[in-house]
Amino acid sequence: MPALSHLQPHCLAKERLLLWHPSIDHQCTSSSLSLSAEVIDCITNVIGASWTESTKECPSPPDVLAAFLASCTGAHSSSMLTNYAAGIQVWHIVHGHNWVIKETEYKGILEGASRLAPATSKCPHRAPFTTDVLQFLHNTLDRDNPCNAAIFACLTLSFFCMERLGEFTVPTIKSFNPVHHITRAGYQLSHNHDNLPIMVFHLLSTKCIPKGETIQCAPQPNPNIDPLQALETTSDLRPLSKTEVIKRIAAIARLYLNLPNLKGHSLHIGGMLFYLLNNIPFNMVKMMGQWSGESFTLYLHHHALVLAPFLQSKLDTINTLRNYVLPPVC
């Protein structure tokens, strides 16, 4: 147990932001601590890793936060260091102290930490799910088993709805909460004015939208991967844990080495690529996938099939693309 202090009482980690107070004798208005030449060199190296040769003239001041982040570089992922720094900054703000580190140095250290992060801290690129993979799983899984039937239905729905796997599953069966997780009442099969069927799901709470959102997908002509038929095949509707889905995919991947590196996020990526390759406009795919920013464009750089039409020299091909790629001008 750490030594007790009236400034830093023993408490839960989530309570430290408010319960840990700075010392009155060490206000955060200036940095008066002198650092060793070794620490300063470490800070300089981290900042220098984020700059080109023409920008390495920027000085590296002896700042305590910079020394802390620099000492962690190479041992932790960049996202972890970013969270550390953000937490320290919020702690200063909550307790009314100035945030004295310069913004350029702050960003430079974090960028350098990102470039120097160990390879083991970065996940490899996720291969996308495809309709061929879904067809393979349809032929492989014993869907007479209720668990397998539920897993396959979950995969097809996540794929065609372009939704995260975690939105159709629960962390554990015991953690199911009807206030936060989707239930039978959250699904309905609707039709538009042309009598086209649409599957509508109301998610009570999602990772990015805690207040919930409504997502949709349409039945597919291929009965083997049709999400409507897959859902209707499940005879016993009950919560499905995300862990069980991931374990089943991993077990199949060990038996069939020709399968790509499939993870839960592969469904989100694969659904996006499916619609783009079927000539759905970029802005429409962005809206369907609930992307508020441009992060989904990162996936395009790794999949030549999507970019291939844009690289053609034929004028008629480019003109055809413009009809559905470019958003309408108001």
Side-chain angles (χ1 to χ4, degrees):
M1 179 180 295
L4 296 180
S5 168
H6 70 284
L7 295 177
Q8 298 177 352
H10 184 60
C11 60
L12 297 176
K14 64 181 181 180
E15 299 174 344
R16 293 174 184 171
L17 181 64
L18 297 177
L19 298 183
W20 282 19
H21 295 274
S23 172
I24 298 177
D25 297 331
H26 295 85
Q27 298 294 332
C28 300
T29 56
S30 63
S31 178
S32 59
L33 296 179
S34 60
L35 304 178
S36 65
E38 181 181 358
V39 173
I40 294 177
D41 288 340
C42 182
I43 297 173
T44 305
N45 291 335
V46 174
I47 296 179
S50 68
W51 295 335
T52 61
E53 292 297 328
S54 61
T55 59
K56 286 188 176 180
E57 298 177 359
C58 184
S60 176
D63 186 271
V64 175
L65 176 62
F68 166 70
L69 295 177
S71 67
C72 296
T73 299
H76 301 287
S77 66
S78 59
S79 60
M80 179 177 290
L81 295 185
T82 300
N83 290 336
Y84 282 166
I88 296 173
Q89 183 177 10
V90 171
W91 183 79
H92 280 74
I93 296 173
V94 167
H95 295 285
H97 288 266
N98 295 329
W99 180 249
V100 297
I101 186 170
K102 295 180 180 179
E103 190 67 19
T104 54
E105 298 162 3
Y106 179 65
K107 291 182 178 180
I109 291 176
L110 294 179
E111 178 63 22
S114 175
R115 299 192 180 192
L116 297 176
T120 54
S121 69
K122 302 177 182 179
C123 296
H125 292 304
R126 303 306 190 200
F129 261 84
T130 64
T131 54
D132 289 338
V133 172
L134 291 178
Q135 178 69 58
F136 176 81
L137 293 176
H138 173 273
N139 299 335
T140 304
L141 289 171
D142 177 15
R143 288 176 297 109
D144 290 333
N145 181 312
C147 183
N148 286 340
I151 289 175
F152 185 72
C154 179
L155 294 177
T156 57
L157 289 173
S158 299
F159 180 87
F160 289 108
C161 287
M162 277 194 298
E163 195 52 77
R164 300 173 186 85
L165 178 61
E167 311 302 357
F168 281 111
T169 58
V170 294
T172 63
I173 299 299
K174 293 183 178 180
S175 65
F176 171 73
N177 186 340
V179 177
H180 300 291
H181 301 124
I182 189 170
T183 63
R184 305 182 192 185
Y187 162 69
Q188 66 175 354
L189 180 63
S190 184
H191 295 80
N192 73 347
H193 61 281
D194 291 326
N195 203 34
L196 295 175
I198 187 76
M199 303 174 68
V200 182
F201 301 89
H202 180 59
L203 304 179
L204 301 176
S205 178
T206 68
K207 179 181 178 180
C208 296
I209 308 178
K211 294 182 179 181
E213 60 180 323
T214 299
I215 59 175
Q216 308 85 18
C217 71
Q220 298 297 309
N222 183 350
N224 291 341
I225 60 174
D226 177 21
L228 179 58
Q229 291 197 27
L231 184 61
E232 292 178 344
T233 302
T234 56
S235 58
D236 186 15
L237 296 179
R238 62 178 62 187
L240 176 66
S241 71
K242 181 179 179 180
T243 302
E244 186 65 29
V245 178
I246 298 298
K247 284 171 56 179
R248 192 60 53 90
I249 295 175
I252 295 175
R254 287 193 295 267
L255 295 176
Y256 301 92
L257 301 180
N258 58 322
L259 283 179
N261 178 30
L262 298 173
K263 303 295 182 181
H265 200 53
S266 299
L267 291 161
H268 207 187
I269 303 172
M272 179 201 70
L273 296 176
F274 169 78
Y275 288 111
L276 287 177
L277 292 174
N278 280 277
N279 296 345
I280 304 299
F282 279 85
N283 60 322
M284 185 62 67
V285 171
K286 177 181 176 180
M287 181 185 68
M288 292 166 58
Q290 307 290 339
W291 279 285
S292 58
E294 303 298 328
S295 59
F296 81 104
T297 59
L298 296 175
Y299 305 136
L300 302 181
H301 298 288
H302 304 291
H303 303 287
L305 290 178
V306 177
L307 297 178
F310 298 91
L311 306 177
Q312 305 305 310
S313 60
K314 296 180 180 180
L315 184 61
D316 56 342
T317 303
I318 297 299
N319 290 333
T320 301
L321 285 169
R322 290 174 180 169
N323 292 332
Y324 71 87
V325 171
L326 297 179
V329 179
C330 299

